[in-house]
Amino acid sequence: MKRAITLAAFGFAALANIASAGGHLPNLEGREVVVVTENAYPPLQFVEPGTGNAIGWEYDAVAEIAKRINATITYENISWDAMIPAVSSGQFDMGMTGITIREDRKEKVDFSDKYMTSEMVMMVRGDEERFSDAKSFAANDDLLMAAQPGTTPFYVGVYDVLDGNEANPRIQLMETFGATVQALRTGDVDLVLTDGTAGNGYVDASDGGLKIIGEKLGTEDFGFIFPKGSDLVEAMNAAIADMTADGTIEALNKKWFLDYKLGG
């Protein structure tokens, strides 16, 4: 179901003291931009427990972008594995779900400039003691990890943690990121790789049920995606740069990574 999103709908009033662009950014004259998301990657975008509202860092950021470039945002939902093909084929104007900027993906879609840099971490159950890093995980053939196919965590798991075999049965493939976390919590798998953004959100909400271990496995830049050749990229990049310069991005980071607690 399509939902027109307004600034007030996502409680963005906390950032209202930050000045808007004041006319020096592109003006889309109210143009509708249909954005597709998975709503499964807290705190970037997710369905809030208890309220059922779709909220998160990306929702707030896009609401602010829309205000600055005079666009009307409409949201639709889709699974991760269908998102890039759907945006590539022009079914949607833009996709957001913590998408890592990668050269192979640039062959199919255009990316905005990065709006966030995160680091890949190892998330395990809170009582995990059998392994403490990627090397000790790889050394124990009884241990399993879960990942969504085609995602950065999948490829990092294959090439940086395991043996480079994309068909390795130790990687259990699942349709959503939420399903991988649930499998971890129930003991069906032993490891989930995720960027630090989502990982810290899940750990903070787990009441000790989850933790982060080992060293970080590298960094990744997140961007919004668009059909190849989209004229929206320039406007989005201008707004992202403006929001970085005036402190809005920093304020969003504080709101969602320091102040907000998932589920409470």
Side-chain angles (χ1 to χ4, degrees), residues 78-87 91-92:
I78 200 170
S79 65
W80 159 256
D81 60 345
M83 181 176 297
I84 292 178
V87 173
Q91 295 180 46
F92 306 102

Short mmCIF file of all heavy atoms in Angstrom, two decimals, residues 78-87 91-92:
data_model
loop_
_atom_site.label_atom_id
_atom_site.label_comp_id
_atom_site.label_asym_id
_atom_site.label_seq_id
_atom_site.Cartn_x
_atom_site.Cartn_y
_atom_site.Cartn_z
N ILE A 78 9.30 -3.93 -0.59
CA ILE A 78 9.71 -5.04 -1.44
C ILE A 78 10.79 -5.82 -0.69
O ILE A 78 11.43 -5.28 0.22
CB ILE A 78 10.25 -4.52 -2.79
CG1 ILE A 78 10.23 -5.59 -3.87
CG2 ILE A 78 11.64 -3.95 -2.63
CD1 ILE A 78 10.53 -5.05 -5.27
N SER A 79 11.01 -7.06 -1.07
CA SER A 79 12.08 -7.85 -0.46
C SER A 79 13.42 -7.38 -0.98
O SER A 79 13.53 -6.81 -2.08
CB SER A 79 11.89 -9.33 -0.77
OG SER A 79 12.02 -9.58 -2.16
N TRP A 80 14.47 -7.67 -0.20
CA TRP A 80 15.81 -7.23 -0.61
C TRP A 80 16.21 -7.79 -1.96
O TRP A 80 16.72 -7.07 -2.82
CB TRP A 80 16.83 -7.64 0.45
CG TRP A 80 18.22 -7.67 -0.11
CD1 TRP A 80 18.96 -8.76 -0.44
CD2 TRP A 80 19.02 -6.54 -0.47
NE1 TRP A 80 20.18 -8.38 -0.98
CE2 TRP A 80 20.24 -7.03 -1.01
CE3 TRP A 80 18.83 -5.15 -0.40
CZ2 TRP A 80 21.25 -6.18 -1.46
CZ3 TRP A 80 19.84 -4.31 -0.85
CH2 TRP A 80 21.03 -4.82 -1.37
N ASP A 81 15.99 -9.08 -2.18
CA ASP A 81 16.49 -9.70 -3.40
C ASP A 81 15.82 -9.15 -4.66
O ASP A 81 16.37 -9.24 -5.76
CB ASP A 81 16.37 -11.22 -3.35
CG ASP A 81 14.94 -11.71 -3.17
OD1 ASP A 81 14.08 -10.89 -2.80
OD2 ASP A 81 14.70 -12.90 -3.38
N ALA A 82 14.62 -8.56 -4.50
CA ALA A 82 13.92 -8.00 -5.65
C ALA A 82 14.17 -6.51 -5.82
O ALA A 82 13.81 -5.94 -6.86
CB ALA A 82 12.41 -8.24 -5.50
N MET A 83 14.81 -5.87 -4.84
CA MET A 83 14.90 -4.41 -4.85
C MET A 83 15.76 -3.87 -5.99
O MET A 83 15.30 -3.02 -6.78
CB MET A 83 15.43 -3.90 -3.52
CG MET A 83 15.52 -2.36 -3.47
SD MET A 83 16.02 -1.73 -1.87
CE MET A 83 14.64 -2.28 -0.86
N ILE A 84 16.99 -4.32 -6.10
CA ILE A 84 17.86 -3.77 -7.14
C ILE A 84 17.31 -4.05 -8.54
O ILE A 84 17.28 -3.14 -9.38
CB ILE A 84 19.30 -4.28 -6.95
CG1 ILE A 84 19.90 -3.68 -5.67
CG2 ILE A 84 20.16 -3.93 -8.16
CD1 ILE A 84 21.30 -4.15 -5.36
N PRO A 85 16.85 -5.28 -8.84
CA PRO A 85 16.24 -5.48 -10.16
C PRO A 85 15.03 -4.59 -10.41
O PRO A 85 14.85 -4.09 -11.54
CB PRO A 85 15.85 -6.96 -10.14
CG PRO A 85 16.78 -7.59 -9.16
CD PRO A 85 16.99 -6.55 -8.10
N ALA A 86 14.21 -4.37 -9.38
CA ALA A 86 13.01 -3.56 -9.56
C ALA A 86 13.36 -2.10 -9.83
O ALA A 86 12.76 -1.44 -10.69
CB ALA A 86 12.10 -3.67 -8.34
N VAL A 87 14.33 -1.57 -9.09
CA VAL A 87 14.74 -0.19 -9.33
C VAL A 87 15.45 -0.08 -10.68
O VAL A 87 15.23 0.86 -11.44
CB VAL A 87 15.65 0.30 -8.18
CG1 VAL A 87 16.24 1.68 -8.52
CG2 VAL A 87 14.88 0.37 -6.87
N GLN A 91 10.76 0.28 -12.09
CA GLN A 91 9.49 0.12 -11.37
C GLN A 91 9.34 1.14 -10.25
O GLN A 91 8.22 1.50 -9.88
CB GLN A 91 9.38 -1.29 -10.79
CG GLN A 91 9.33 -2.39 -11.82
CD GLN A 91 9.23 -3.76 -11.18
OE1 GLN A 91 8.45 -3.98 -10.26
NE2 GLN A 91 10.03 -4.70 -11.65
N PHE A 92 10.47 1.59 -9.70
CA PHE A 92 10.47 2.58 -8.63
C PHE A 92 11.52 3.64 -8.95
O PHE A 92 12.48 3.39 -9.68
CB PHE A 92 10.79 1.93 -7.28
CG PHE A 92 9.89 0.77 -6.95
CD1 PHE A 92 10.33 -0.54 -7.11
CD2 PHE A 92 8.59 0.98 -6.51
CE1 PHE A 92 9.51 -1.61 -6.82
CE2 PHE A 92 7.76 -0.09 -6.22
CZ PHE A 92 8.21 -1.38 -6.37
#
